[in-house]
Amino acid sequence: MTIEVGDPLPNVALTVMGPDGPEMVMSRALGEGAGRRVVLFGVPGAFTPTCSALHLPGYLALGDALRGKGVAALVCVSVNDVYVMDAWGQQQGVAGRVVMAADGNGDFTRALGLDIDMTARGFGLRSRRYAMVVEDGVVNVLKLEEPGEFKVSDAQTILGCL
């Protein structure tokens, strides 16, 4: 079942790179808190063309504008390991502006109901491309892309929803 507006964010472990190495963080902790607003966006894969050229860079470019609308954090999730997410973040220059969250086993992605089998392309289980606004742990906006598209999960669209 696919997550919908009004649903609570599933509480699943993700991994981020901390100062001393990989650290587990519960997904719900990213979006909970009185008045806490988070933009969480999922990409099919780190270092892939659309993700690297458009999706993540768009959130970097509009990060200040999003924060100006009350967004406390920007979180990028991909079914990649934490080392790949960290290297991609370094290559993209996120420098603490976007939390690079690894969903290495795809548990969070499956809990959202946003997994897609890309085995035919050699990628295995991946995430559909999406963006959501989470407020107080509840999904308030969800923009889900059709496979192979990049039309509604971009930073400009999400900024317009706030």
Side-chain angles (χ1 to χ4, degrees), residues 1-160:
M1 187 160 132
T2 302
I3 195 160
E4 296 178 356
V5 170
D7 289 346
L9 197 63
N11 202 26
V12 179
L14 295 167
T15 311
V16 298
M17 189 59 75
D20 297 320
E23 298 176 355
M24 296 285 247
V25 60
M26 297 306 289
S27 57
R28 197 169 293 157
L30 296 169
E32 282 185 329
R36 183 167 169 84
R37 178 186 280 175
V38 172
V39 172
L40 191 146
F41 60 101
V43 298
F47 293 105
T48 57
T50 301
C51 304
S52 292
L54 299 171
H55 209 167
L56 178 56
Y59 281 95
L60 290 171
L62 292 178
D64 289 341
L66 290 160
R67 282 185 272 285
K69 294 281 190 173
V71 172
L74 301 172
V75 181
C76 178
V77 179
S78 185
V79 181
N80 286 112
D81 67 67
V82 68
Y83 296 99
V84 169
M85 291 299 284
D86 184 55
W88 187 39
Q90 288 180 36
Q91 186 261 345
Q92 290 283 316
V94 301
R97 297 181 291 162
V98 175
V99 175
M100 302 300 284
D103 184 19
N105 295 324
D107 296 335
F108 178 69
T109 298
R110 277 191 302 279
L112 292 173
L114 298 178
D115 52 310
I116 185 169
D117 185 352
M118 297 179 76
T119 303
R121 294 182 58 198
F123 293 140
L125 169 75
R126 293 296 172 130
S127 174
R128 288 184 60 186
R129 186 180 305 280
Y130 65 88
M132 62 176 71
V133 178
V134 179
E135 294 188 44
D136 299 327
V138 175
V139 177
N140 282 351
V141 174
L142 176 62
K143 299 296 183 180
L144 181 59
E145 300 284 1
E146 291 301 319
E149 292 188 357
F150 182 60
K151 296 179 180 178
V152 298
S153 64
D154 60 291
Q156 186 66 50
T157 297
I158 294 301
L159 183 61

